[in-house]
Amino acid sequence: MSGPVEPTFDLVFQDAWIFDGERTLPKPTSVGITDGRIAKISQSHLSGRQTVNAAGLWLTPGLIESHIHLFDFQNAINPEAMGHYIKEELPKNLRSFLDYGITSVKSVGDPLPEIGDVRNRLASGDLSGPRLLMTGVGITAPGGHPSATVYGRNPWYRLRAASEIGSVDEARDVVNAMAEKGVDAIKLLLQGGCRCSGEPDYKWHGMVSIQRMKPEVLEAAVAEARRLGFKTTVHTFEEERAIEALEAGADGVEHGVVATRISDKRFIDLLLKNDASYVPTLWVYPRAEAMHNLALVRDAGVRIVLGSDSFAPTVQIEGLESGMFGANSIVEAERMALSGLTATEILRSATGLAAVHLGRSDIGVIAEGRQADLLLLQADPTVSVENLKSPLKVIQGGRIVVDRAEQQA
Ligand SMILES: [Zn+2]
Ligand SMILES: [Zn+2]
């Protein structure tokens, strides 16, 4: 005779259909979580202190959003305004990601030291929100984008959120400075969000005269980052500039080619040669050319990573709805679908492939030993990204952080 079975795991999801970050497992499967990690994946029932009957429901990895800007670059014009944002706006903005199932984000240009402080507060549990990876400031040319453009009217912010470099020595110095701040990757901006016709200085939206980064400065920054063990990702807009970034050795392009349809085979060859990621940001650039190009790089087998370029909802930009953190990432997924990507391809871009892009082997996949960052969904997300909306539960590090339904058995 034996007594009742002692629970083995902290939390168990019983009999779920599982998309594991790469593919759908063939049979309903149970997942056991202990100490915030996925401890067991089994086709037998598992015993947990808390058990969720997930029969007929779906589990996916928590989503990863790889291109955001967390701070309000328009209104944070001095320490007081920044303090107001951090106190009044930031907590709900961070929660908003979780509400939409985004459990990790990558900031690709935000002010220091503030972005580092937020990362530390999230890690300690002082703030509730996604895991935060960061590049620190955006590194650009003197008078380049975003310094002279979107930060042009905010000199206080401009100095904190971007670094304007004009020489090879400055390139090495700023990469080392970012390394000391504990960044996860290096972000460079080669040009503005506009065409620049190859000239060193050009007009951004016909208004602001700006500079683009010199090729030798870009090359030095990428080489120094690599020497220190960091991946680099480069903001591009035109095909010619994107080729330049990849020739310098970039590991990713943010926005990719937006200005025109891709016409040069070299671009795709270089993406593959560098094993680089393509981050389409269709939320911010919903252009026919960008959507066409996304399908093209998909056909070539390039790693595509979901990133929307979302910014704080209190920022107002003419012709662009600010939307909400998290919600914008789902819009991004919908626009990727409109571009011709399958729901499975889009899911991979926000889970398994995103983890590769970020160099994080602990997230993005449902596998034993990984962080228990999970979504519990009503319906099959590999059929339609619409099924990612309103997850029943969002689990982060083994804790249920969003709960829309009482499913406890
Ligand atoms: Zn950009
Ligand atoms: Zn951006």
Side-chain angles (χ1 to χ4, degrees):
M1 224 182 109
S2 62
V5 179
E6 285 296 312
T8 315
F9 303 101
D10 296 341
L11 173 62
V12 165
F13 290 91
Q14 213 84 275
D15 294 327
W17 289 109
I18 293 183
F19 173 80
D20 70 358
E22 211 258 317
R23 67 192 180 106
T24 299
L25 302 188
K27 288 181 181 168
T29 300
S30 297
V31 175
I33 296 164
T34 291
D35 293 335
R37 297 259 176 178
I38 297 168
K40 184 80 179 166
I41 295 176
S42 171
Q43 284 178 3
S44 315
H45 278 187
L46 301 173
S47 166
R49 268 177 281 283
Q50 184 184 0
T51 299
V52 177
N53 174 12
L57 304 178
W58 283 75
L59 276 179
T60 71
L63 303 179
I64 301 171
E65 152 69 81
S66 294
H67 189 133
I68 64 141
H69 303 278
L70 192 55
F71 282 85
D72 183 335
F73 51 81
Q74 227 164 41
N75 298 300
I77 56 168
N78 56 36
E80 293 71 40
M82 176 63 93
H84 174 84
Y85 176 80
I86 290 171
K87 191 158 176 284
E88 304 297 334
E89 303 291 335
L90 180 72
K92 63 185 181 208
N93 287 346
L94 290 168
R95 283 293 310 181
S96 182
F97 283 114
L98 296 179
D99 286 340
Y100 288 90
I102 313 290
T103 53
S104 298
V105 299
K106 182 185 185 187
S107 149
V108 288
D110 267 305
L112 282 168
E114 287 82 3
I115 190 71
D117 293 344
V118 172
R119 185 177 65 170
N120 295 342
R121 289 178 64 195
L122 284 165
S124 74
D126 180 39
L127 279 169
S128 170
R131 298 177 196 279
L132 176 63
L133 288 89
M134 63 176 201
T135 66
V137 303
I139 303 170
T140 190
H145 173 74
S147 293
T149 55
V150 286
Y151 306 160
R153 290 184 183 166
N154 190 349
W156 183 80
Y157 194 92
R158 174 178 181 166
L159 291 176
R160 312 173 82 73
S163 183
E164 300 170 48
I165 55 162
S167 73
V168 164
D169 284 346
E170 285 174 341
R172 294 193 185 114
D173 288 349
V174 71
V175 169
N176 279 277
M178 289 305 107
E180 277 167 32
K181 302 287 184 197
V183 299
D184 300 283
I186 298 293
K187 165 81 180 292
L188 297 148
L189 296 103
L190 189 45
Q191 63 174 152
C194 60
R195 307 179 74 156
C196 62
S197 322
E199 297 302 320
D201 69 321
Y202 59 102
K203 294 266 196 235
W204 181 72
H205 295 302
M207 300 181 296
V208 189
S209 186
I210 69 173
Q211 299 281 322
R212 70 181 178 88
M213 191 177 281
K214 292 185 212 154
E216 64 268 27
V217 174
L218 175 74
E219 276 166 32
V222 172
E224 186 67 0
R226 176 161 303 153
R227 193 181 71 77
L228 295 170
F230 293 99
K231 289 192 187 187
T232 50
T233 194
V234 183
H235 163 118
T236 60
F237 194 81
E238 290 173 298
E239 183 169 16
E240 206 183 321
R241 300 284 85 73
I243 288 172
E244 205 172 292
L246 293 166
E247 278 178 339
D251 302 295
V253 286
E254 305 292 324
H255 319 301
V257 179
V258 178
T260 57
R261 289 187 170 206
I262 293 166
S263 63
D264 191 335
K265 198 177 157 304
R266 271 190 310 158
F267 175 61
I268 285 174
D269 289 347
L270 280 162
L271 282 167
L272 293 170
K273 176 170 165 266
N274 289 15
D275 190 25
S277 303
Y278 191 93
V279 187
T281 70
L282 299 175
W283 176 76
V284 78
Y285 293 127
R287 294 170 56 139
E289 294 88 346
M291 294 171 85
H292 170 89
N293 292 341
L294 177 57
L296 209 67
V297 297
R298 183 276 313 270
D299 292 345
V302 171
R303 178 172 56 249
I304 293 162
V305 174
L306 184 143
S308 64
D309 208 358
S310 290
F311 42 78
T314 37
V315 168
Q316 306 284 323
I317 290 185
E318 211 187 310
L320 186 63
E321 220 181 302
S322 303
M324 287 283 289
F325 283 128
N328 297 346
S329 310
I330 302 302
V331 172
E332 181 72 24
E334 291 173 329
R335 291 182 182 169
M336 292 167 87
L338 282 174
S339 306
L341 271 63
T342 67
T344 297
E345 288 168 337
I346 297 163
L347 277 172
R348 286 177 183 148
S349 81
T351 56
L353 294 180
V356 172
H357 169 66
L358 301 178
R360 287 285 296 255
S361 58
D362 62 330
I363 57 173
V365 175
I366 299 181
E368 290 174 7
R370 297 254 178 165
Q371 295 284 356
D373 292 357
L374 303 165
L375 307 186
L376 183 68
L377 302 167
Q378 190 81 56
D380 183 353
T382 68
V383 169
S384 167
V385 293
E386 296 304 311
N387 292 339
L388 289 171
K389 289 181 175 171
S390 301
L392 297 171
K393 293 182 198 296
V394 179
I395 299 93
Q396 187 190 40
R399 283 195 327 117
I400 298 173
V401 291
V402 175
D403 200 347
R404 289 193 173 87
E406 292 300 319
Q407 298 283 339
Q408 265 84 323

